[in-house]
Amino acid sequence: MSTAPRVLVVDDEPNIVDLLRMALRFHGFDVLTATTGRAALELAVAARPDLMILDVMLPDIDGFEICRRLRADGHPVPVVYLSARNAHRDKIAGLTYGGDDYVTKPFAVDELLARVRAVLRRTSPPPAEPAPAPPSPLRFADVELDPDAHLVRRAGEPIDLSPTEFSLLRYFLTNPNRVLSRTQILDAVWSYDYGGESTIVDQYVSYLRRKLGRHGPSLIHTQRGFGYVLRLPVAGSNR
């Protein structure tokens, strides 16, 4: 049975589909393709790809809506958007709907492959090692993260996180009460070869704060001029 990562390429332009199919297969990936949003949703559920390269402008369902539906149904497949829409608001929208990266057209194949590998590294479970004790859930205040079950709870209530949000929270939970710079967070969560903007850290911290904040006071605080810190709230502070 093949252990190659399975990538689902979704685009309505045949030349792009053919290009990515050949490039990904050449570099050792197992490739599935779809040219419509409906076909993409069916394949994502049936084939369980390790990653999806998703065009935003499709003829039936746009890529943002596809990602929103997958996340709403509990499918954690990492998503790398591929789109001619390069406005900042489009990139923010894509990340808000649960995407993990955003590449604009025209694109360089080698850059896209580097982004795909980086997303797979930070979202794939680590390789199995012989006979280690099962990792204990990470806890801080009333937040609990179970790495094995991939579950997060706050005050006993489950919280639905994207793969990148999960990795970001895990990094904070393993470094409580320690001020973490944006560069440290970027290196730990997005990996050293991430080619995107460092503002993605601020965006994802904002998403994580919002989800955790539904069940209690803020625990991730801004340390102005330095970065962020996971700590208990200080009386009279709202950051």
Side-chain angles (χ1 to χ4, degrees):
M1 182 177 179
S2 173
T3 59
R6 176 175 292 176
V7 176
L8 172 57
V9 176
V10 185
D11 201 297
D12 63 336
E13 297 183 56
N15 59 325
I16 290 181
V17 172
D18 290 342
L19 172 66
L20 292 181
R21 182 195 289 117
M22 289 188 295
L24 287 162
R25 285 179 176 171
F26 179 79
H27 287 275
F29 293 92
D30 181 18
V31 183
L32 301 172
T33 63
T35 57
T36 67
R38 290 184 179 87
L41 286 169
E42 291 174 2
L43 274 173
V45 174
R48 298 284 179 174
D50 298 295
L51 182 138
M52 182 185 297
I53 298 175
L54 180 60
D55 186 17
V56 173
M57 294 185 290
L58 293 167
D60 51 352
I61 308 171
D62 73 50
F64 295 157
E65 176 63 13
I66 291 170
C67 192
R68 188 197 67 78
R69 292 187 190 183
L70 289 172
R71 296 296 182 255
D73 291 340
H75 295 291
V77 56
V79 171
V80 176
Y81 292 110
L82 184 61
S83 177
R85 292 163 58 173
N86 59 6
H88 185 65
R89 64 178 178 274
D90 292 321
K91 297 178 182 179
I92 296 299
L95 297 174
T96 301
Y97 284 122
D100 295 273
D101 206 345
Y102 195 108
V103 178
T104 57
K105 299 177 182 178
F107 63 95
V109 173
D110 55 350
E111 179 188 356
L112 178 59
L113 287 170
R115 299 288 189 94
V116 165
R117 291 190 181 101
V119 171
L120 285 172
R121 276 196 295 274
R122 69 175 183 261
T123 59
S124 299
E129 296 182 0
S136 300
L138 299 172
R139 294 184 177 88
F140 184 84
D142 57 354
V143 176
E144 178 181 325
L145 181 148
D146 188 330
D148 272 354
H150 208 85
L151 293 176
V152 174
R153 292 186 178 87
R154 182 167 193 192
E157 296 295 324
I159 299 176
D160 183 28
L161 299 182
S162 72
T164 300
E165 291 166 345
F166 187 90
S167 297
L168 178 60
L169 178 59
R170 179 167 54 189
Y171 186 56
F172 276 118
L173 288 172
T174 55
N175 294 276
N177 299 305
R178 175 186 172 194
V179 177
L180 302 170
S181 71
R182 288 170 179 81
T183 299
Q184 287 175 308
I185 296 171
L186 192 64
D187 288 345
V189 179
W190 278 267
S191 83
Y192 287 92
D193 60 359
Y194 176 73
E197 300 174 358
S198 62
T199 54
I200 196 170
V201 173
D202 302 317
Q203 293 160 10
Y204 268 91
V205 168
S206 176
Y207 305 153
L208 188 57
R209 276 175 169 164
R210 189 180 307 127
K211 291 184 178 182
L212 293 176
R214 294 170 187 162
H215 304 287
S218 179
L219 295 174
I220 301 174
H221 305 271
T222 302
Q223 196 78 16
R224 296 192 184 279
F226 295 95
Y228 297 98
V229 57
L230 178 73
R231 59 167 170 75
L232 294 173
V234 176
S237 172
N238 59 359
R239 297 303 301 272

